[in-house]
Amino acid sequence: MRTRTSRSVVIGVDSSTQSTKAVAVDTATGELLAVGRAPHTVTGEGGARESDPEEWWTALTAAVRAAVRDAGVPASAVTGIAVAGQQHGLVTLGADGRPLRPALLWNDTRSAPEAAALAAGLGGPKSWLERTGSVPVASMTAAKWQWLREHEPAHAAAATGVRLPHDYLTERLTGHAVTDPGDASGTCWYGNGGRAGSGGGAGSGSGYDPEILDLLALDPALLPAVAPSGATRVGTLTGAAAEALGLPRTVVVAAGTGDNMAAAVGLGLGGAGLLDHPVVSLGTSGTVFAATRTRPADPGLAGFAATDGTYLPLGCTLNCTLAVDRFAALLGLDREDTAPGGDAGVVVLPYLDGERTPDLPHAAGLVTGLRHTTDPRAILGAAYEGAAFTVLRALDGLLAACGLDLTDSAVRDRPLRLIGGGARGRTWTDTVRRLSGRPLVVPAAEELVALGAAALAGGAVTGEDPVALAHAWGTGAGELLPPLERSTETWDRIAGVLTAASPGLLR
């Protein structure tokens, strides 16, 4: 392979639930040169979901090395790196700076009782919304810390540092304990109302709410400093990190952010790009978000900060592509071997991991409407519909909470940007089009989180706004799919089952 010696290259890392992806990107043009990948292991039964953060670091080094190698550039061409990580996970560090125990992941629902108790305290949900933009639920880091205090008090007492997944990896790169407003706003202890741009260290203008930290018995000295943005230059590689990655110590490291915030950057959403444009992400979880100047006060939404000074209100469902794939496996079908479930009167609520939106942390899946003549393909089709309905219902709630009129054609006809693994599936795109009645933009780029992280790295290197940089790179561009006639009959059928089932069968 011919070595490209004249490029300046930045690395964007997406450390997700299941794997790490690292992209090598030409800083000037945005050309994607290569992608490196390495898997993660998730363990746990019932509501438990855990991973070893040391495995994330091993995967990061392997993925970065592979990306640089396959890009055909010398290590000296790499000028910057940034990490985007799965949100909410709780990493506790010991005296040696290494994890005390496996990380509690975002989809670990064991902390549901602690979340409910926290939500009831501090003046109730309204007070939490005013302070942090979000009400504690099982996924939020505050609930996980409370669970650790109550169930593993020795680990909580021994902690010398408390980190989010991306914080942990950035610290391994630089030796500095730092986070950004976007990822910090998903903890429920970042208390400046979710507004980005409050720099400073922990307990010193950091945005951490001291009353919430007191409630959690969480010493602010255990928390990382909050950089002004995810594109803030926080340092360069340590000697150990440079050796592990095979890169020069001069490589600039950006603060990085959470995966949803990085995806927004990759799509060109933010103050220097698109505002109030809805996004649906179909992955292990289903998420809906938009960059906006308005932070909604809605207990069903997370009032996150974006990484550029705007807001990123977000709704999240726990059961999306993985749950539908599980139905396909149970039925012995290929994931694309479907028939629309609504045509046969079948309804599936695929809440196999409990559910976050709606807030049903102890829910199980529900199948109704079966007959002797029911085609298994209709059951699988209904699983797609149930998952897509749940995500799109969350999107309607988000747009309404942001003050947008859902009956206004300017809002109703605005294309959905469909991303995530599900966006590559024919049945997923057809189902979303049928249930939403909206046109779709499916970006051509497949690694938007990693590309958003690369734009943050590029911003740290060049001083440019990362949203403007991603827009110039064209990472959010893609095919426009026209709308299909909305299937209100299917929508109403699923909504009716959810309403009837919620008081008893799902809890």
Side-chain angles (χ1 to χ4, degrees):
M1 179 182 295
R2 184 173 61 88
T3 299
R4 305 180 178 105
T5 58
S6 60
R7 295 183 187 266
S8 170
V9 175
V10 287
I11 304 293
V13 176
D14 171 13
S15 181
S16 69
T17 313
Q18 304 291 336
S19 65
T20 292
K21 283 84 66 180
V23 297
V25 177
D26 186 300
T27 312
T29 67
E31 180 186 353
L32 177 61
L33 304 177
V35 183
R37 296 180 174 84
H40 300 167
T41 303
V42 178
T43 61
E45 297 179 353
R49 295 292 184 274
E50 299 183 348
S51 285
D52 180 2
E54 292 286 354
E55 188 179 43
W56 301 339
W57 174 249
T58 301
L60 183 151
T61 60
V64 169
R65 281 183 172 272
V68 174
R69 179 196 66 223
D70 293 347
V73 297
S76 59
V78 178
T79 56
I81 187 170
V83 177
Q86 54 179 304
Q87 286 191 254
H88 309 308
L90 176 67
V91 181
T92 49
L93 304 180
D96 61 355
R98 295 293 181 258
L100 285 169
R101 69 177 312 286
L104 302 176
L105 303 185
W106 61 273
N107 54 351
D108 189 314
T109 58
R110 289 176 292 178
S111 55
E114 287 76 18
L118 287 173
L122 208 69
K126 182 179 179 181
S127 177
W128 283 96
L129 288 172
E130 292 173 349
R131 287 170 174 270
T132 73
S134 303
V135 177
V137 292
S139 60
M140 296 292 186
T141 323
K144 298 184 187 308
W145 171 254
Q146 194 75 344
W147 181 91
L148 192 73
R149 288 182 60 221
E150 295 180 9
H151 293 267
E152 299 180 10
H155 279 138
T160 63
V162 173
R163 306 286 185 264
L164 295 166
H166 116 262
D167 306 343
Y168 170 74
L169 293 169
T170 302
E171 190 169 1
R172 289 294 296 265
L173 291 171
T174 64
H176 301 304
V178 65
T179 190
D180 87 301
D183 212 6
S185 67
T187 60
C188 267
W189 59 59
Y190 181 70
N192 69 346
R195 184 179 301 279
S198 65
S204 176
S206 65
Y208 296 130
D209 188 304
E211 191 172 349
I212 293 175
L213 296 184
D214 286 345
L215 179 67
L216 298 168
L218 179 56
D219 184 346
L222 300 181
L223 300 176
V226 184
S229 80
T232 300
R233 174 176 175 159
V234 297
T236 57
L237 294 177
T238 67
E243 183 178 358
L245 298 175
L247 296 176
R249 291 192 61 175
T250 53
V251 171
V252 170
V253 183
T257 192
D259 52 4
N260 291 298
M261 293 77 192
V265 173
L267 287 164
L269 306 186
L274 300 172
L275 291 170
D276 298 322
H277 281 247
V279 178
V280 171
S281 177
L282 303 175
T284 303
S285 63
T287 56
V288 295
F289 57 87
T292 177
R293 299 272 186 206
T294 303
R295 191 201 72 199
D298 187 318
L301 300 172
F304 292 147
T307 199
D308 72 338
T310 58
Y311 295 107
L312 196 73
L314 180 144
C316 180
T317 70
L318 294 182
N319 300 274
C320 197
T321 58
L322 217 58
V324 172
D325 285 351
R326 181 57 179 154
F327 270 89
L330 288 170
L331 295 164
L333 297 173
D334 180 87
R335 66 177 57 159
E336 295 287 347
D337 191 9
T338 66
D343 292 348
V346 181
V347 172
V348 174
L349 300 178
Y351 301 161
L352 304 185
D353 281 325
E355 191 45 80
R356 173 173 167 179
T357 308
D359 187 17
L360 298 167
H362 304 297
L366 178 67
V367 182
T368 186
L370 299 184
R371 303 286 185 182
H372 282 291
T373 55
T374 299
D375 187 330
R377 296 176 301 161
I379 302 173
L380 181 57
Y384 275 97
E385 290 170 348
F389 163 87
T390 306
V391 173
L392 292 171
R393 183 172 175 265
L395 177 65
D396 285 350
L398 184 147
L399 296 176
C402 288
L404 299 174
D405 181 359
L406 297 176
T407 65
D408 182 350
S409 61
V411 176
R412 185 185 64 243
D413 299 335
R414 188 169 289 164
L416 286 182
R417 279 160 173 77
L418 193 67
I419 64 173
R424 305 298 162 184
R426 173 189 56 81
T427 303
W428 276 113
T429 56
D430 288 351
T431 303
V432 170
R433 290 166 75 195
R434 280 194 300 109
L435 291 183
S436 71
R438 287 177 178 267
L440 302 184
V441 172
V442 181
E446 295 188 10
E447 302 296 347
L448 283 165
V449 173
L451 288 168
L456 294 176
V461 170
T462 66
E464 294 184 58
D465 184 294
V467 173
L469 188 59
H471 182 74
W473 288 351
T475 53
E479 180 184 8
L480 177 64
L481 301 177
L484 297 175
E485 182 179 357
R486 187 168 184 242
S487 180
T488 56
E489 181 182 354
T490 300
W491 182 278
D492 292 344
R493 181 186 296 111
I494 300 170
V497 169
L498 177 60
T499 300
S502 293
L505 292 177
L506 288 175
R507 292 187 186 275

